[in-house]
């Protein structure tokens, strides 16, 4: 993390202990209850825990994510060519001061669960598409054993997608 205007860099681990230390530092040592903007690059599942904890935290912490490509372009426009964790944190902090960012919205637990179901469905659909491509190649080679294996896996994926579709519909109807 890099804080402005005091230009301080501090590192925290991306686990419960590190996030607890970060929150303590923000609340007690750094901003002491004043408004605080935390701007991060999305890091997929690695950033999920931090995101959830920030969104559940006190209202004085605003959490926002910015696309990594926007940060890279901003860094280039500022003349930064070297990439280090400390410099990345500084660039993200400077971006937050110069560019208006949209805070992430706190979502309900049900909304989070629905988002995870949709994400999982997308993964399974992608897997099924890959299996269909493999099936076409196996047909060209007339490889019956591979075709049977692909069909078995495709059937499993299709059944799982159908099950998730039902779960998504139930989540929407009960929401």
């Amino acid at each position: 993390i890099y804080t402005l205007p005091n230009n301080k860099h501090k590192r925290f681990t991306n686990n419960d202990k590190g996030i607890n230390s970060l929150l303590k530092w923000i609340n007690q040592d750094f901003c002491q209850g004043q408004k605080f903007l935390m701007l991060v690059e999305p890091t997929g599942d690695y950033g999920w825990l931090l995101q959830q904890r920030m969104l559940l935290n006190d209202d004085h912490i605003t959490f926002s994510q910015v696309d990594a490509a926007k940060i890279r372009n901003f860094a280039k426009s500022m003349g930064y060519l070297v990439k280090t964790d400390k410099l990345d944190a500084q660039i993200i902090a400077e971006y937050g001061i110069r560019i208006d960012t949209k805070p992430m919205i706190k979502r309900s637990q049900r909304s989070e669960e629905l988002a995870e179901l949709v994400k999982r469905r997308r993964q399974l659909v992608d897997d099924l598409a890959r299996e269909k491509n493999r099936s076409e190649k196996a047909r060209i080679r007339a490889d019956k054993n591979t075709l049977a294996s692909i069909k078995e896996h495709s059937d499993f994926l299709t059944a799982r997608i159908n099950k998730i579709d039902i779960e998504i519909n139930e989540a929407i109807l009960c929401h």
Side-chain angles (χ1 to χ4, degrees):
I1 191 166
Y2 194 90
T3 58
L4 294 173
N6 61 357
N7 297 317
K8 297 212 178 201
H9 178 256
K10 195 160 174 77
R11 184 179 212 110
F12 298 91
T13 57
N14 190 13
N15 57 30
D16 274 330
K17 184 178 178 183
I19 292 171
N20 287 337
S21 296
L22 170 63
L23 289 172
K24 180 181 176 194
W25 177 76
I26 289 170
N27 288 314
Q28 292 178 4
D29 302 332
F30 183 70
C31 69
Q32 300 160 346
Q34 296 177 12
K35 292 282 185 190
F36 185 86
L37 169 65
M38 175 168 287
L39 185 65
V40 298
E41 285 181 315
T43 56
D45 291 335
Y46 294 108
W48 184 85
L49 180 61
L50 174 64
Q51 173 187 326
Q52 294 308 303
R53 293 290 298 279
M54 290 295 114
L55 291 175
L56 294 174
N57 199 359
D58 297 329
D59 289 330
H60 70 279
I61 299 175
T62 301
F63 186 79
S64 183
Q65 287 186 327
V66 175
D67 183 85
K70 289 182 180 181
I71 298 292
R72 273 193 307 278
N73 290 335
F74 177 77
K76 286 178 187 176
S77 75
M78 300 291 289
Y80 293 111
L81 303 175
V82 179
K83 185 168 173 56
T84 66
D85 285 347
K86 183 177 180 179
L87 186 57
D88 280 352
Q90 180 182 350
I91 291 166
I92 292 168
E94 290 177 12
Y95 183 94
I97 286 178
R98 291 179 171 79
I99 309 294
D100 189 28
T101 59
K102 293 186 172 141
M104 293 189 73
I105 298 169
K106 295 178 185 182
R107 295 193 297 197
S108 69
Q109 181 66 29
R110 282 189 144 167
S111 293
E112 285 296 325
E113 291 167 2
L114 180 59
E116 285 299 313
L117 284 171
V118 170
K119 177 181 172 183
R120 182 62 183 145
R121 185 187 189 284
R122 190 176 316 114
Q123 292 167 345
L124 293 172
V125 167
D126 290 346
D127 289 345
L128 183 59
R130 282 190 286 277
E131 285 298 277
K132 286 181 179 179
N133 290 335
R134 289 182 192 113
S135 177
E136 290 173 18
K137 291 176 185 174
R139 274 193 192 86
I140 292 169
R141 293 188 306 267
D143 185 349
K144 291 180 182 179
N145 290 332
T146 301
L147 273 171
S149 173
I150 291 170
K151 181 176 180 345
E152 182 181 338
H153 190 223
S154 294
D155 290 346
F156 169 80
L157 291 170
T158 300
R160 189 63 191 119
I161 291 167
N162 291 337
K163 185 175 182 205
I164 288 181
D165 284 342
I166 291 168
E167 293 173 23
I168 289 171
N169 288 331
E170 287 173 356
I172 292 170
L173 291 173
C174 296
H175 200 269

